Each structure stands twice: as structure tokens, then as C-alpha cells.
Amino acid sequence: MRRVARRFERADRYRLAGRTGFVSDDTEQTALLGQALALAGPDDSECLRRFRRSMVGWLARLPFGIGGATLRSCVRMMLGLARPGAHSAGNGASMRAGILGVHLAHDPERRRRLGRSLASLTHTDERAVQAAMYVAEVSALCALEDSPNANPATLLSRARAVVEETELGAAIDQGLALADDDAPFPEVVRSLGNTGFVIHSMGICTYCFARCGEEPITAIEAAIRAGGDTDTHAAIVGGWTGALHGAEALPPALVGRLQAGPFGASHLRGLAEALATETPPPRWSRIHALLRNLALYPVVLAHGFARLAP
Ligand SMILES: [Mg+2]
């Protein structure tokens, strides 16, 4: 956490490769899920089938930073196993669940049913499944028409109702209680934990959104500064703030410098438009996405080696 705080004090510009912003696996899987939702319409099994096929394609494009459980489940999907999910309590199912909540904000029953099935495709540990349902639930409550005036902590407390798992519920409660407290941030992170275990991540995301959710960039910066699975924490908290305040609340300078092509700003806007208007999602080039991954490998490796430096 200290290393992240030292190197990335503010989220005011991109730092991976020059001034261009690149999305990570969280956003790519969110977009693939959005595409499956748009193409499947009201048919749940069609949505699951399409998302499953997209995940196999995603793995074939050699993504960097893939989680162990997602890797195992994608391989099982490739082999055609009926139940490909891995018994893991990582963040993979939660990090992509926000879009489901926004899309099905007015249909709680389908949101929870489909949310459980989509999570189980990659993660079968009940803590990971319920965390994904919680992420979708918060997004849904944020997206409802009367929510812009709502307090983020109130929305989180309401969404907490979908969590029955004791350990996960306790982490969310702790995140909410700490947000009410004035404890120093490093102390908050130490008590919540930041290992990439879904229980720790839900505590961190809950704290950041409850404490700073009124100001999107402040909440996202806090999620990054907490360390651990930083891109996932930032993606989840960023999704919640986006659902609550709208895309306009994000700094235009950052949105404007996002990569072009697949999973770039216009692709994502087009996808959001397609979901909102029930029209076909934008087409994009798989080859272009593969070439982008290959081109970024040296950059990602260089950052990895730089982290080893004292
Ligand atoms: Mg991550």
C-alpha cells in the first residue's frame, strides 16, 4: 500500500504507457458481459451461453493479469465442461457484475438469479458468488431514478440485504462502520485486509464508496491507494460512482485519453447505448484486441520489473 501511495498519489493521468489509458481485465469482462446481455435480450440461458463463449475468446487473446480461478474456469469452458467454475473466493466474478445491476435495475428477481449463474460460471465459492450479487445490487440501487440524491452509505446498507454469507456480511458491515469513523486510512486498510481475497476487497470497496462516493475521482483514488487488487477495486468503485452520478462525473481529460479500438471509450459508449436502447451492440475486431495485448506485454513486463526495484 505504501508503494502504491508513493508512486500513484493522484489518479490524474495514466501511467502505463505514455498518456494513453488502457483498460484491464475488469473492464474487458464487463464489456463482454454487456455484449452478452444486449445480444441475449430476455433469455438467461442464451446470455450465459454467449458470455461463456466470449470468455473462451478472451482467454485466446492472451490477456495479462488473469486470475487463477478465471484461468481454470476458462480452460474448462474450452473443454466444454457443463460446470466450469473453480472453487475460489477471488474477485473475478465481482469485478464484472456492476453492469448486470445497472441493466437489470428494475428487475431484482432476474438480477439475482442471473447474477448467481453468471458468477458461478467462473467462481463457485459462495462468498465469491454473493460478493458478485452484492456488487450488482449496489449498482442497481445507484442506477434507480431517485438515487442521485441518496447517500452512498444508505445504498450500500440496502444492498447488503442480498448477502447471507456471514464472513462477507461482516466485512461489508466493517467497511460501513469504518467509513463512519475518522480512523487514518492506512489503519482502515490494515483492519479490512487487501490481499485480493473477495472478503477483503468487498470491505475496501464498501469503505471507499461509503466514505467518498459523492466524489467519483476521490473514491476511485482511495480504492487505488488501498493497494492489493487495485484495478479491480477501482473498477468496482468506479462502476458504482458511474451508476450513481453518470459518466459526466468522471474527469473528461481521463476519459478522452482512453485507448481507441476494442474496449476503448467509443466501444464502451456504443455498448452502453445498445443496452439502453435494446439495439445490437457495436462490432469490434478480435484481431485488433489480440494485437493490442501482444503489444502491451513488454510494457506490462517492464512495470513488473520496475516493481522489483527498491
Ligand atoms: Mg484486478
Side-chain angles (χ1 to χ4, degrees), residues 126-178:
E126 192 55 25
R127 294 168 296 185
V129 173
Q130 290 194 23
M133 292 167 70
Y134 169 68
V135 170
E137 199 68 16
V138 178
S139 300
L141 298 181
C142 286
L144 291 173
E145 290 78 6
D146 57 350
S147 292
N149 301 320
N151 175 347
T154 310
L155 298 172
L156 289 160
S157 309
R158 268 193 241 150
R160 159 77 172 83
V162 296
V163 176
E164 289 167 354
E165 211 286 324
T166 322
E167 205 183 347
L168 178 62
I172 294 167
D173 293 342
Q174 194 189 357
L176 282 167
L178 285 167

Side-chain angles (χ1 to χ4, degrees), residues 141-302:
L141 298 181
C142 286
L144 291 173
E145 290 78 6
D146 57 350
S147 292
N149 301 320
N151 175 347
T154 310
L155 298 172
L156 289 160
S157 309
R158 268 193 241 150
R160 159 77 172 83
V162 296
V163 176
E164 289 167 354
E165 211 286 324
T166 322
E167 205 183 347
L168 178 62
I172 294 167
D173 293 342
Q174 194 189 357
L176 282 167
L178 285 167
D180 247 352
D181 230 34
D182 272 330
F185 190 56
E187 211 172 279
V188 168
V189 175
R190 245 193 319 277
S191 58
L192 290 170
N194 68 348
T195 59
F197 174 38
V198 76
I199 300 288
H200 293 168
S201 291
M202 288 307 114
I204 297 272
C205 291
T206 298
Y207 171 86
C208 294
F209 187 58
R211 181 93 183 166
C212 326
E214 302 288 3
E215 294 171 49
I217 199 66
T218 311
I220 293 168
E221 280 172 355
I224 295 169
R225 275 207 317 279
D229 194 353
T230 50
D231 67 326
T232 295
H233 298 160
I236 292 173
V237 172
W240 289 343
T241 57
L244 186 58
H245 302 289
E248 319 72 56
L250 290 169
L254 287 180
V255 177
R257 288 193 171 276
L258 256 186
Q259 62 178 89
F263 308 109
S266 41
H267 179 185
L268 299 179
R269 270 199 206 97
L271 191 53
E273 182 81 26
L275 281 165
T277 54
E278 296 182 16
T279 49
R283 299 177 72 82
W284 52 280
S285 160
R286 271 73 179 160
I287 298 286
H288 187 152
L290 169 66
L291 292 177
R292 185 213 68 155
N293 283 357
L294 294 177
L296 279 178
Y297 263 99
V299 179
V300 172
L301 286 174

Side-chain angles (χ1 to χ4, degrees), residues 31-47:
L32 295 173
L33 176 52
Q35 182 179 279
L37 286 164
L39 288 169
D43 185 341
D44 283 3
S45 48
E46 177 67 6
C47 176

Side-chain angles (χ1 to χ4, degrees), residues 9-39:
E9 203 180 320
R10 303 297 315 274
D12 53 356
R13 67 178 179 86
Y14 297 115
R15 293 159 204 265
L16 182 72
R19 296 265 159 168
T20 304
F22 294 93
V23 302
S24 68
D25 55 344
D26 313 78
T27 305
E28 289 201 4
Q29 288 187 25
T30 296
L32 295 173
L33 176 52
Q35 182 179 279
L37 286 164
L39 288 169

Side-chain angles (χ1 to χ4, degrees), residues 1 6 35 46 58 150 210 222 280:
M1 180 192 169
R6 202 171 62 231
Q35 182 179 279
E46 177 67 6
W58 179 76

